[in-house]
Every structure is written in C-alpha cells, then in structure tokens.
Amino acid sequence: MRAYLAEFLSDPRVVQLPRFVWLPILHGIVLRKRPAKSAAKYAAIWSAEGSPLAVHTRRQAAALQIRLADMKVEHAMRYGEPSLAAARVRLPEAKVVPLYPQYSDSTTGSIIDVMGPGQRIVMQFYDHPAYIEALAANVRRHWQERGRGAKLVMSFHGLPKRGGALYAGQCYGTSKLLADKLQLAAGEWITTFQSRFGFAEWLQPYTAPTLVSLAQQKVERVDVICPGFVSDCLETLEEIGIEARRDFVTAGGREFHLIPCLNESPEWISALARICTEG
C-alpha cells in the first residue's frame, strides 16, 4: 500500500504542487498515516479474488479479447502492476485506451507522460453513443430489478476547481446525455463530485453534502451512479457505497441504492470494442 501511494502521490499530474513543497509533506506526513487508513478502507471491499478494480479490469480485458479475436488485448495499470511502462516496452505499436471516459491531466494526461507523444491514445469517450447507451442500460437494469428512486445522483471523481473546467464540462456532458437517454426531467437528476483531497476548492457540488441535503429535504430514496468509473473500485464501493450511504441515512434518508459500474456488462464490452477499433 505504501509503495502504491508513494508512486501515485508522487506523480506531478496528481498533486500539482512544487516538488520541494510537496515531497517533504508526502514522505514526512502523508505516507506515515495514509497507508493504514487506506488499507482499512480496502479491507472493507476486498474480495476473494483481490482488489475489485483489478478483478474487473482483468475480466474486461478477457471479454474484450474474445470480442476482438484478431487483436491482442492486454490490460495495464498506471500505478502498480501490471505496469503501463512495461507494456510500452513490450507493445510499442499498441493503441492505448485509458479507461477514463472524461479527460483530465491527472488521469489520461499522466498516461500520455508514460507512453510518449507518438503513441496512439484514445483521449476521451465521454460522449460516445455506445458508452452512454451502456450506462443507460445499467441504470434501466437496476431500476427494473429494484425499483426507482426520486433522484438519480451522478457522482464523478472531483478535481481542484482551478484548471478543471475542461474535465467538468465533459462530466456535465456525460450527465446530460445519460439523463436524455433515460428521459429524465430536470429535477430528477443531479451531477456531483466526490473524492476531494487536500484543502483547495474542488469542483462542486460535492457528493456527500448533496446527499445529506437531499435527505434533509425529505427525499427518501436516492439512486447513485458513478459514470466516470467503468469498474467498481474503492471510490465507488467504499466512498459511495459505505461512507456516502451512511451520511444519507444518518441525515434521515431511507433508501440508498448504488448502481454498479459498467464492469463486465455486455453493453459495455460492446461499447469498448467500438471505442478500441474506431479511429
């Protein structure tokens, strides 16, 4: 855990502070406290197969390989193993598809840093019709099985407000396209941002306070989807599925439904195949 956090939080794309300011804080304070806290959070969502993110990513790659039988499909991680840097050496001509629908410097930008400017990289797919349809199919399936709440909360990973305009615009774009696909009225959905880190102002509205406010407004049931995550992971299962659920119920809400991420849904694998082969 410490090694992963050190690699992740040392990336200047992730924490955009001068290195002489940030690195002493990282190694002197953050890496002494955060690994234990993160380990406890991961323990709450760990499966028999391991990290949910790693499990779903492996399964997606395997399903995609079946769909694209004439192409070699491999998955890699920007931080940790299997290493993206190793994949670059092994497959120098490969097309890279970052599984981040919305572009940001801290995600896709960081992948570009590793792969180099000459690599074929899909920059974003936040408005791809197949991706939007896969999201809509996931929501419809959940509603068919478990009913429908009064409000659909679309929670995206947050970023500092400064420099986050492009990313925010793409998040709102995804939300609007999904709401239109589901034929939702304006008051039936809302876009929020989660995972704030540090003391700077981040993109708003923040997810947790929004859920508390909805509960206080006597909204008894909410459905939450995280369109920016194609695989369930710590940020969806623990931050939203456990912490945000607790906040909502504590504030007076009755039913909290976390809609699963795309994971290995057939609609998503079909969409991913299109995204990989287009262009």
Side-chain angles (χ1 to χ4, degrees):
M1 181 61 66
R2 181 183 173 88
Y4 164 79
L5 288 173
E7 181 184 9
F8 173 55
L9 295 174
S10 294
D11 187 341
R13 292 277 198 172
V14 174
V15 180
Q16 297 179 0
L17 290 174
R19 298 293 89 187
F20 75 90
V21 173
W22 172 240
L23 292 180
I25 296 173
L26 174 62
H27 292 280
I29 300 174
V30 176
L31 291 179
R32 294 188 179 193
K33 296 181 178 180
R34 189 158 180 176
K37 293 180 180 179
S38 295
K41 292 177 181 292
Y42 273 105
I45 64 164
W46 208 259
S47 73
E49 296 179 76
S51 159
L53 174 60
V55 170
H56 289 303
T57 304
R58 286 197 303 267
R59 291 175 180 173
Q60 288 169 1
L64 187 62
Q65 182 66 84
I66 294 172
R67 184 65 61 95
L68 302 178
D70 58 339
M71 300 174 64
K72 182 176 180 59
V73 177
E74 288 194 16
H75 73 281
M77 298 292 186
R78 173 60 185 88
Y79 311 102
E81 298 293 337
S83 164
L84 184 63
R88 178 194 62 191
V89 174
R90 191 170 62 256
L91 303 167
E93 303 299 321
K95 183 177 184 178
V96 181
V97 183
L99 295 182
Y100 305 113
Q102 298 78 26
Y103 175 88
S104 78
D105 286 341
S106 59
T107 54
T108 306
S110 181
I111 289 174
I112 294 171
D113 290 344
V114 173
M115 301 305 294
Q119 195 84 31
R120 291 184 300 155
I121 298 178
V122 174
M123 300 298 286
Q124 67 264 317
F125 53 89
Y126 73 97
D127 58 351
H128 195 290
Y131 161 66
I132 299 298
E133 179 53 45
L135 290 172
N138 239 25
V139 176
R140 294 190 197 105
R141 188 157 41 238
H142 186 88
W143 283 349
Q144 184 176 13
E145 295 172 356
R146 303 193 179 187
R148 175 175 166 179
K151 183 82 74 171
L152 179 64
V153 177
M154 305 185 198
S155 179
F156 293 83
H157 199 291
L159 284 179
K161 184 176 181 180
R162 181 179 179 182
L166 173 63
Y167 172 76
Q170 293 189 359
C171 292
Y172 284 116
T174 297
S175 294
K176 183 63 167 61
L177 289 168
L178 178 56
D180 289 347
K181 180 68 71 172
L182 294 170
Q183 299 182 318
L184 298 180
E188 294 179 324
W189 61 279
I190 187 172
T191 300
T192 64
F193 297 92
Q194 63 182 86
S195 307
R196 182 185 178 194
F197 174 76
F199 301 102
E201 181 181 5
W202 280 37
L203 296 172
Q204 296 186 41
Y206 300 134
T207 299
T210 298
L211 290 167
V212 169
S213 178
L214 290 173
Q216 293 171 342
Q217 295 170 37
K218 308 303 181 185
V219 175
E220 293 190 348
R221 169 175 166 167
V222 295
D223 300 324
V224 182
I225 186 172
C226 301
F229 299 91
V230 300
S231 298
D232 273 310
C233 55
L234 185 72
E235 288 87 350
T236 65
L237 298 174
E238 198 280 333
E239 183 182 354
I240 301 300
I242 297 176
E243 293 184 12
R245 179 192 303 273
R246 181 175 59 240
D247 292 341
F248 178 72
V249 173
T250 301
R254 295 185 61 185
E255 289 190 57
F256 181 101
H257 288 248
L258 175 60
I259 298 173
C261 290
L262 294 171
N263 296 329
E264 303 84 54
S265 68
E267 298 88 356
W268 168 233
I269 300 304
S270 295
L272 189 54
R274 285 183 57 183
I275 292 166
C276 288
T277 55
E278 291 177 356

